[in-house]
Amino acid sequence: MSTTTRSTEPAILVLEDGTVARGTAYGARGATVGEIVFSTGMTGYQETLTDPSYHRQIVVMTAPHVGNTGINTDDPESHRIWVAGYVLRDPARRPSNWRATGSLDDDLAAQDVVSIAGVDTRFLTRHLRELGVMRAGIFSGEALVEDGVERDVADLVAEVKAAPPMAGADLAREVSTAETYTVEPAGDFAGAEPVATVVAVDLGIKAMTPARLAERGVRVHVVPQSATFDDVAALLPEDAPGGVFFSNGPGDPSAATAEIDLLREVLDRRIPFFGICFGNQLLGRALGYGTYKLGYGHRGINQPVLDRTTTKVEVTAHNHGFAVDAPVETVSTAPHDAERDDDVRYGRVIVSHVGLNDRVVEGLTALDLPAFSVQYHPEAAAGPHDSAYLFDRFVELMTTRQPVAVPDSALAALGGATSGEKEN
């Protein structure tokens, strides 16, 4: 594969606080705006680009050298690149990998993703860590020039500030599938009757999620974000294990009111539930907890998380800018219970997974109904795979239809009643 000639065309990255970073045009030429975030992953850039959770976000790569393995047809997590823009320090001049079918630069250009290279991404990362993520824009080509002169920075900042903020954004409908499709059991289970059936609500699902379930013998019906409870129930078996899954996705969980209502119907009927990322935030809101926007979020594949149900520390993949506001150090009762006037109760909940960098809620487990969720990505195709066991936990949940078994030691540490104390 031939060496790519490095562009010398100017490009400008402008943040809404007036910060300017100059570099060279990469990918498509033009203008793009979005929320600027940084990812600490050293590998897996193609999975990052095609993750629907990055919809309307400009991604800064903290790894200085990106693009050396090119792009291929095996690694995408969806049918297209979703990032609004891409910021690199030192892109590879030539891809070198036996699976490569093209270069990163060409693929970004083909999918009209305006990007910039030659930027001090270390400075940008420190800036965003100190001030928090914000809106930004990348400008190159004709979008950077007006009447033969480079546009004034003040005009570019004004264009950036006109972009909608991520807070309050309802975006799942923009990335969800339009039609229901089914992924059948695969691998050792190919051609066999499914061990369970899952209805996965696509809020920005990655291809690897149904694949991880299929390789465990699960039939997965992926349904649109607009699916109703009747749509979901019609796909669940009456006399065999089944459950509902909520995927990752972009936007503010507080704006996803229809999805929260659907999830409450699932919980009311004690249907086994598992949620990942956005799905974790929606479980939190369905149970009555709040959510809030993190200063700069967690994005990358090297985040340490403690699973209190196993006492193990996992290295995990993250991509989230919002988090659940739930008590981290105690067993709590789902706040939504106080809002209901019927006999339905969601009962006790624990924060079962905790981020060790900042004590952020990384997972919820209901103690009185079959539901749990994690904020991170156990399906991460680029790795790590420390959390793959969570799919086995979901299969067990659907099989037993009982709450996740939480060790007495974990409950005691949180001040909750153990199984022996409850029997008394």
Side-chain angles (χ1 to χ4, degrees):
M1 201 167 287
S2 62
T3 301
T4 301
T5 301
R6 187 71 60 85
S7 167
T8 58
E9 297 178 56
I12 294 180
L13 170 69
V14 177
L15 276 57
E16 68 173 288
D17 67 352
T19 299
V20 174
R22 294 182 178 272
T24 56
Y26 192 75
R29 274 56 168 171
T32 188
V33 294
E35 180 183 64
I36 187 167
V37 301
F38 62 87
S39 173
T40 60
M42 296 290 288
T43 62
Y45 59 80
Q46 193 169 355
E47 289 87 348
T48 294
L49 290 167
T50 55
D51 181 350
S53 296
Y54 281 113
H55 181 42
R56 293 197 189 178
Q57 291 183 318
I58 295 172
V59 177
V60 178
M61 297 300 294
T62 61
H65 193 55
V66 178
N68 56 312
T69 57
I71 57 98
N72 59 64
T73 58
D74 298 323
D75 291 345
E77 287 286 1
S78 63
H79 66 282
R80 54 164 285 191
I81 292 176
W82 285 102
V83 302
Y86 209 40
V87 183
L88 310 175
R89 178 168 183 152
D90 185 19
R93 289 187 292 177
R94 180 177 63 188
S96 179
N97 185 274
W98 65 275
R99 295 189 303 150
T101 58
S103 72
L104 174 59
D105 189 8
D106 290 343
D107 199 38
L108 289 167
Q111 298 198 44
D112 201 30
V113 181
V114 178
S115 306
I116 184 172
V119 172
D120 185 349
T121 53
R122 182 172 59 179
F123 159 75
L124 271 178
T125 300
R126 294 178 65 182
H127 189 73
L128 296 175
R129 278 180 59 92
E130 292 172 2
L131 300 182
V133 298
M134 61 188 77
R135 290 167 293 183
I138 302 172
F139 303 88
S140 61
E142 295 182 359
L144 183 57
V145 177
E146 186 173 349
D147 297 328
V149 179
E150 183 176 288
R151 294 174 60 189
D152 187 76
V153 169
D155 291 339
L156 302 180
V157 171
E159 187 169 331
V160 167
K161 288 184 175 180
M166 190 60 69
D170 185 8
L171 301 181
R173 69 188 72 238
E174 298 181 11
V175 301
S176 180
T177 180
E179 302 289 340
T180 296
Y181 62 92
T182 301
V183 178
E184 295 289 351
D188 295 339
F189 297 91
E193 283 297 306
V195 302
T197 299
V198 167
V199 179
V201 180
D202 179 4
L203 308 174
I205 199 168
K206 296 194 287 183
M208 194 51 66
T209 301
R212 292 290 186 230
L213 289 167
E215 67 189 19
R216 288 166 169 79
V218 177
R219 173 179 290 151
V220 185
H221 299 295
V222 182
V223 301
Q225 167 272 341
S226 58
T228 66
F229 178 77
D230 289 342
D231 296 330
V232 170
L235 294 170
L236 290 172
E238 294 183 3
D239 55 356
V244 173
F245 172 83
F246 272 25
S247 78
N248 59 291
D252 186 338
S254 68
T257 54
E259 294 92 327
I260 294 169
D261 289 342
L262 168 59
L263 180 48
R264 282 180 175 155
E265 291 195 70
V266 171
L267 299 178
D268 289 345
R269 290 162 176 80
R270 278 10 185 204
I271 298 171
F273 172 81
F274 178 31
I276 286 176
C277 198
F278 199 54
N280 173 70
Q281 296 161 14
L282 296 186
L283 176 61
R285 295 197 69 88
L287 294 171
Y289 300 103
T291 51
Y292 63 98
K293 199 170 191 309
L294 293 165
Y296 49 84
H298 301 165
R299 297 173 181 88
I301 58 177
N302 50 6
Q303 309 278 342
V305 169
L306 170 65
D307 180 350
R308 285 168 160 164
T309 68
T310 65
T311 69
K312 293 181 179 179
V313 175
E314 305 161 17
V315 178
T316 62
H318 288 219
N319 176 14
H320 65 109
F322 292 85
V324 176
D325 185 11
V328 173
E329 302 299 341
T330 186
V331 177
S332 60
T333 299
H336 187 61
D337 289 357
E339 302 171 10
R340 305 188 67 88
D341 56 6
D342 54 30
D343 293 330
V344 176
R345 292 293 183 268
Y346 296 148
R348 299 165 301 146
V349 181
I350 63 167
V351 173
S352 51
H353 298 74
V354 181
L356 296 183
N357 285 333
D358 52 12
R359 307 298 291 175
V360 164
V361 173
E362 294 293 344
L364 299 169
T365 295
L367 301 181
D368 299 311
L369 72 164
F372 76 104
S373 60
V374 291
Q375 183 60 66
Y376 52 95
H377 292 267
E379 82 292 344
H385 304 298
D386 294 18
S387 309
Y389 70 92
L390 291 168
F391 292 105
D392 299 315
R393 182 176 292 182
F394 188 31
V395 172
E396 180 180 1
L397 200 72
M398 292 186 285
T399 303
T400 65
R401 298 187 69 87
Q402 297 297 315
V404 173
V406 178
D408 284 348
S409 57
L411 292 176
L414 294 171
T418 65
S419 57
E421 292 170 334
K422 286 187 287 185
E423 290 173 0
N424 296 331

